[in-house]
Amino acid sequence: MKKIVSRHLVPKVLLGLLVLSGLGAFAANNQAVSRALNFARPDVKVEIAGSVQRADKVISLDKADGVKGGEIIDWNMDSHNEGAGDAQNYRLVGQIAKGTVYVGTAKGDASPQITYSIDGGKNFSALPMIDEKQPDGRIRKVVAPISLYTQVMFSWEKPLAAQARLHATYRVRVK
């Protein structure tokens, strides 16, 4: 009887060890398995940092003692997809705070499409338009001045791949 029990215990113990080692392998390769099982999800973290240039020095806004009228603030936005899946239709929106005005310098990694809002982020366009009353009373659409911009949006045609990074920047002037 002991021999039969031991013969049955050995395979069960080995099977248990194989299952445990298989779980370890799963944990070690869960990104690949998640992708294969279609559980891959993006997990994008965004860091936003501002800086101001003073006396030939670039000072982080968190270390600057306030900002003064006329100073230029550079906003840097770094996106990192820490997930296992690609972030499809990835967009990043930068705010143009009240008391500042966009100064026309937005750029980003991998050539994003850059669009602007003049209505608090409801609509975006490469060239936002406003109505302008003409001397004869007619209303004509004209390009909005950049002083009306409230947001700048960066849109990438390609997905933000798993574990990939993107950088975008824009500049504003303090009124």
Side-chain angles (χ1 to χ4, degrees), residues 104-126:
T105 55
K107 58 187 173 181
D109 293 344
S111 303
Q113 177 185 5
I114 299 171
T115 55
Y116 309 94
S117 178
I118 58 173
D119 60 7
K122 294 176 189 164
N123 299 290
F124 286 86
S125 173

Side-chain angles (χ1 to χ4, degrees), residues 50-172:
S51 61
V52 63
Q53 186 167 354
R54 291 186 182 151
D56 297 330
K57 292 182 185 177
V58 176
I59 302 169
S60 173
L61 283 183
D62 61 347
K63 294 180 182 174
D65 213 13
V67 290
K68 301 173 190 144
E71 287 187 313
I72 301 293
I73 299 172
D74 287 309
W75 288 108
N76 293 291
M77 301 184 295
D78 291 300
S79 301
H80 179 209
N81 183 357
E82 296 177 356
D86 297 348
Q88 303 293 326
N89 302 312
Y90 186 64
R91 295 182 176 125
L92 189 59
V93 177
Q95 300 296 314
I96 301 168
K98 289 184 181 183
T100 66
V101 63
Y102 176 72
V103 293
T105 55
K107 58 187 173 181
D109 293 344
S111 303
Q113 177 185 5
I114 299 171
T115 55
Y116 309 94
S117 178
I118 58 173
D119 60 7
K122 294 176 189 164
N123 299 290
F124 286 86
S125 173
L127 285 173
M129 305 294 277
I130 59 171
D131 293 335
E132 180 180 77
K133 189 173 185 177
Q134 300 300 302
D136 64 3
R138 290 185 295 140
I139 302 295
R140 184 176 128 204
K141 292 277 186 195
V142 297
V143 175
I146 63 174
S147 61
L148 296 180
Y149 290 6
T150 57
Q151 282 92 4
V152 56
M153 181 166 57
F154 302 83
S155 303
W156 284 269
E157 187 175 312
K158 293 183 179 180
L160 176 54
Q163 302 305 311
R165 296 178 180 270
L166 285 172
H167 177 79
T169 185
Y170 66 101
R171 185 174 273 189
V172 298

Side-chain angles (χ1 to χ4, degrees), residues 11-27:
K12 287 181 182 176
V13 170
L14 287 175
L15 179 62
L17 291 174
L18 289 173
V19 169
L20 288 176
S21 66
L23 288 174
F26 174 78

